[in-house]
Amino acid sequence: MAGTSVLQQTNFFSPPADPPQFSELNLRLKEQQCLSLLKRCKNLEDFKKAHTQIVKWGFFWNSFSASNLVAVCALSDWGSLDYACSIFQQIHEPGTFEFNTMIRAHVKEMNFQDALVFYYEMLERGVEPDNFTYPALFKACAWLKAKEEGMQIHGHVFKFGFESDLYVQNSLINMYGKCGEIHHSSAVFEQMDEKSVVSWSAIIAANASLGMWYECLMVFGNMSSEGCWRPEESTLVTLLSACTHLGALDLGKCTHGALLRNISELNVIVQTSLIDMYVKCGYLEKGLSLFKKMTKRNQMSYTVMISGLAMQGHGEEALRIYSMMLEEGLDPDDVVYVGVLSACSHAGLVDEGFNCFDRMKSEHGIEPTAQHYGCMVDLMGKAGMINEALEFINSMPIKPNDVVWRSLLSACRVHCNLEIGEIAAKHLFESNSQNAGDYVILSNMYARVEKWVEVAKIRTEMARKGFNQVPGFSLVEVGRRIHKFVSQDTSHPRCGSVYEMIHQMEWQLKFEGYSPDTSQVLLNVDEEEKRQRLKGHSQKLAIAFALIHTSKGTPIRIARNLRMCSDCHTYTKLLSIIYEREITVRDRNQFHHFKNGTCSCRDYW
């Protein structure tokens, strides 16, 4: 429990030996004066004076006055938790209100374990909690990720009959979400007889905390369908994050509109979230427009804009924004430099990347982290400087971590350098990498040169360690709904029409000289099966679905979880000519804008 002050060692709290003789009415008036003085306190010195008056007149032994003393001292911004604890310990029989106050105060001061200790003391002393006790306790459990304690206290909620209290239920949803128990959050939410806007916000936030972005949008859709809820600002910002991760531009635009309707002035954080959404959904022009209109920008605003430009392959523009940041007097941090180096990497600006790396150390005194070294290895790797990248890693003053070796391994895959790829993979495996993708990359490199025995060894090792290959999937937004396609997918309700469209697309592609690149199918099967497997790549299925269900000329935007293969890249370039569509594909951390048979990456990725 928190420490106590020297006040405990005195008789300061003792009742006066000979209290002044006043009528009961005069005493009540005097007590009201003391309480009024207490409410007007602006700092701890004022509080001590009011405290002195309350003790002097013997009002401390009145539970109402003692409760007010504890609450004002514990919960005021200028208060002292230690001082409040010393007052609390002088109360002979503290009640529910006093315990609730101390629990809330400790949560406010981020002393979450002490808050739980006060609750257990409350129970030991036979003081019954009320519905105001539990929201603060569940907040403490959420911060501590104390799932077991939270579940025990949930049991107490039932014991004391507060399971139907709206505020308790909302805090339970939040606590279970923060502890990663989304099924418990959903169960509490579904069982609520009455929901408030806070209830909806809590379940949306619970899904967001676990990266369940699609579910966030589904819940918000249900909330909107009821038509009687005005979403909070925090909920709309969470929805922006969901749209950002899913590449859902149309839904993001709707959320932007809701923000403008519900909030008179967007703060820097919300404006930055909007910029992040637009650039990561492929609408760079809108993101830049919002950035330029900002009256006040902070470091995060610049970081988001620089990183967004990096993803789009606009390295020169990213460096210009970086220079603007310096001119505005904002000092870059290590995160800004990750964006700057990534911009150089995606755009092939090798010399500029090395200049920025040196400037980071010499001018801004930022010691490079493994992430910065990983960016430099990625920069050299994309440029085909595989040997130089390995030399760079060997000269690093810090031990290379998985990020650095993984960047080299990815570069070796792109440039078909099996020898150095094996070196990178060896380091990853020796570090007990739990990333199944590392094994898959090496396996695919062996498959490309038809070393099927080595492929079998890698796959056997993956099985032994319980690793599963993450299936490739693509998300496409059609009619303000997100549709997900997995490679070789036959589960989608429109599966038949999608594959029929694939057949029509390939018939048209033949006239453009397209020939399937079966080297991208890294399986020991015949050529015909390889061609069939290429047809089922998730990106092609998503494009086919969008072509069926959107009108001519409508842009198509796709988000992928894995890097696209060169066959899909060629395929999509040709489709942009045949169907006269702009097709944007977010390939993990890079964008490809296909238009009139060309790609914004200039085939450099």
Side-chain angles (χ1 to χ4, degrees):
M1 191 174 292
T4 58
S5 75
V6 73
L7 291 172
Q8 283 182 273
Q9 302 168 20
T10 72
N11 63 352
F12 189 67
F13 286 93
S14 301
D18 296 303
Q21 298 299 312
F22 283 94
S23 68
E24 185 176 341
L25 177 60
N26 286 336
L27 280 173
R28 286 182 181 176
L29 290 173
K30 193 64 184 178
E31 184 178 17
Q32 289 301 317
Q33 289 175 8
C34 289
L35 291 175
S36 178
L37 184 65
L38 186 63
K39 290 177 182 178
R40 294 198 301 269
C41 292
K42 302 295 182 184
N43 51 54
L44 194 57
E45 288 305 312
D46 290 346
F47 175 80
K48 288 179 179 179
K49 292 175 184 177
H51 185 189
T52 301
Q53 289 297 310
I54 288 172
V55 173
K56 173 184 174 182
W57 288 95
F59 299 136
F60 181 78
W61 308 107
N62 177 317
S63 62
F64 183 73
S65 296
S67 299
N68 276 272
L69 273 172
V70 173
V72 171
C73 187
L75 301 176
S76 298
D77 291 337
W78 45 261
S80 165
L81 188 55
D82 280 351
Y83 198 106
C85 283
S86 68
I87 298 172
F88 175 84
Q89 290 182 3
Q90 297 298 324
I91 300 174
H92 181 57
E93 291 185 356
T96 304
F97 179 85
E98 290 80 13
F99 272 106
N100 286 353
T101 298
M102 297 310 297
I103 291 169
R104 285 177 57 201
H106 280 85
V107 171
K108 176 175 173 281
E109 294 297 319
M110 312 291 276
N111 297 333
F112 304 117
Q113 290 181 331
D114 288 341
L116 296 180
V117 169
F118 265 99
Y119 175 65
Y120 295 131
E121 181 184 340
M122 181 182 189
L123 297 180
E124 285 177 2
R125 294 175 69 161
V127 179
E128 278 203 12
D130 62 15
N131 59 324
F132 296 106
T133 308
Y134 292 105
L137 285 172
F138 288 131
K139 186 175 182 180
C141 292
W143 277 96
L144 293 170
K145 300 289 191 290
K147 181 184 72 173
E148 296 299 326
E149 289 81 355
M151 293 182 75
Q152 289 177 23
I153 296 171
H154 189 181
H156 295 176
V157 166
F158 280 94
K159 176 181 176 181
F160 291 107
F162 301 118
E163 67 275 9
S164 298
D165 183 86
L166 183 62
Y167 299 103
V168 174
Q169 289 172 321
N170 290 343
S171 56
L172 269 168
I173 294 168
N174 178 67
M175 184 272 292
Y176 280 126
K178 292 282 178 61
C179 291
E181 299 291 334
I182 190 63
H183 55 291
H184 288 325
S185 288
S186 299
V188 173
F189 181 78
E190 293 299 329
Q191 291 166 11
M192 293 176 74
D193 295 326
E194 177 190 351
K195 298 180 178 73
S196 67
V197 68
V198 176
S199 312
W200 289 98
S201 299
I203 192 64
I204 289 171
N207 281 287
S209 67
L210 296 175
M212 298 172 65
W213 305 112
Y214 183 77
E215 288 76 8
C216 285
L217 297 183
M218 295 295 291
V219 173
F220 182 70
N222 294 336
M223 175 183 176
S224 300
S225 66
E226 294 201 4
C228 55
W229 306 109
R230 182 176 177 176
E232 297 176 325
E233 179 180 348
S234 60
T235 301
L236 293 172
V237 172
T238 300
L239 288 174
L240 280 180
S241 295
C243 295
T244 301
H245 284 86
L246 296 172
L249 179 61
D250 289 342
L251 285 166
K253 287 179 179 178
C254 292
T255 306
H256 187 182
L259 281 164
L260 294 175
R261 288 191 300 273
N262 289 285
I263 303 169
S264 57
E265 186 176 351
L266 305 183
N267 61 37
V268 176
I269 295 173
V270 176
Q271 288 176 313
T272 302
S273 297
L274 280 167
I275 293 167
D276 194 39
M277 183 275 293
Y278 278 113
V279 297
K280 287 183 179 174
C281 287
Y283 197 175
L284 180 61
E285 297 82 1
K286 183 65 174 179
L288 269 172
S289 174
L290 290 174
F291 178 80
K292 290 174 181 177
K293 289 177 182 176
M294 291 180 76
T295 55
K296 182 182 178 182
R297 305 183 187 98
N298 60 15
Q299 198 178 66
M300 182 56 66
S301 309
Y302 277 100
T303 301
V304 164
M305 197 67 250
I306 291 168
S307 298
L309 287 162
M311 291 177 70
Q312 309 272 359
H314 295 280
E316 293 88 350
E317 181 68 7
L319 294 179
R320 191 186 69 79
I321 296 292
Y322 167 67
S323 297
M324 185 192 303
M325 176 184 178
L326 298 180
E327 290 169 7
E328 200 168 312
L330 291 171
D331 290 327
D333 61 4
D334 59 326
V335 180
V336 171
Y337 266 108
V338 169
V340 169
L341 295 175
S342 295
C344 295
S345 174
H346 287 313
L349 304 175
V350 178
D351 292 338
E352 291 85 345
F354 274 100
N355 288 336
C356 289
F357 186 75
D358 294 336
R359 191 176 182 183
M360 176 178 73
K361 295 184 291 182
S362 61
E363 289 188 26
H364 297 109
I366 299 172
E367 283 300 315
T369 65
Q371 196 170 7
H372 297 112
Y373 285 112
C375 288
M376 294 304 294
V377 171
D378 190 56
L379 171 73
M380 289 181 274
K382 280 189 168 71
M385 301 164 61
I386 305 297
N387 291 310
E388 293 86 343
L390 180 58
E391 291 175 9
F392 180 83
I393 292 173
N394 290 331
S395 67
M396 284 171 54
I398 63 174
K399 183 180 178 181
N401 68 355
D402 287 2
V403 173
V404 174
W405 288 116
R406 195 166 291 125
S407 296
L408 181 62
L409 179 60
S410 296
C412 290
R413 174 186 60 179
V414 173
H415 295 284
C416 304
N417 192 320
L418 180 58
E419 181 183 355
I420 294 180
E422 288 178 320
I423 295 172
K426 180 185 177 188
H427 282 281
L428 285 166
F429 300 159
E430 287 176 351
S431 70
N432 294 319
S433 167
Q434 298 299 305
N435 190 330
D438 300 334
Y439 291 83
V440 172
I441 289 175
L442 184 61
S443 170
N444 289 348
M445 291 175 72
Y446 282 132
R448 191 177 296 277
V449 294
E450 299 186 351
K451 289 191 172 184
W452 303 113
V453 174
E454 284 77 4
V455 170
K457 288 180 181 177
I458 295 292
R459 296 289 174 171
T460 301
E461 182 66 9
M462 286 181 67
R464 188 184 70 80
K465 292 188 174 183
F467 293 158
N468 294 314
Q469 183 176 351
V470 177
F473 67 79
S474 296
L475 305 173
V476 62
E477 185 182 23
V478 173
R480 295 184 184 175
R481 289 189 60 191
I482 301 297
H483 298 266
K484 180 178 180 180
F485 291 90
V486 180
S487 292
Q488 317 305 322
D489 197 356
T490 57
S491 63
H492 196 277
R494 305 290 177 84
C495 172
S497 60
V498 167
Y499 278 98
E500 184 180 333
M501 186 65 193
I502 290 281
H503 179 72
Q504 293 181 29
M505 287 157 56
E506 297 215 334
W507 185 79
Q508 295 270 13
L509 284 164
K510 288 179 182 178
F511 293 100
E512 297 293 333
Y514 167 74
S515 178
D517 181 5
T518 55
S519 68
Q520 299 300 305
V521 181
L522 303 171
L523 297 170
N524 190 14
V525 295
D526 61 37
E527 286 297 303
E528 179 56 31
E529 185 171 346
K530 287 183 178 181
R531 283 194 290 271
Q532 290 301 318
R533 285 186 170 272
L534 279 177
K535 286 183 181 180
H537 280 195
S538 65
Q539 181 172 318
K540 297 174 182 179
L541 300 177
I543 292 173
F545 181 81
L547 287 172
I548 294 169
H549 296 285
T550 59
S551 57
K552 184 177 180 180
T554 304
I556 297 172
R557 293 182 175 87
I558 293 169
R560 295 175 52 98
N561 70 323
L562 299 176
R563 181 182 183 273
M564 83 172 83
C565 70
S566 60
D567 181 72
C568 283
H569 196 266
T570 302
Y571 193 100
T572 309
K573 281 198 296 185
L574 294 173
L575 288 179
S576 70
I577 299 175
I578 296 168
Y579 293 97
E580 299 179 350
R581 297 285 193 107
E582 290 183 33
I583 304 173
T584 299
V585 180
R586 189 173 78 192
D587 176 359
R588 290 193 301 184
N589 295 317
Q590 186 169 354
F591 273 93
H592 300 263
H593 297 279
F594 298 94
K595 185 178 180 180
N596 298 327
T598 63
C599 179
S600 59
C601 76
R602 303 182 299 279
D603 299 338
Y604 181 84
W605 92 103

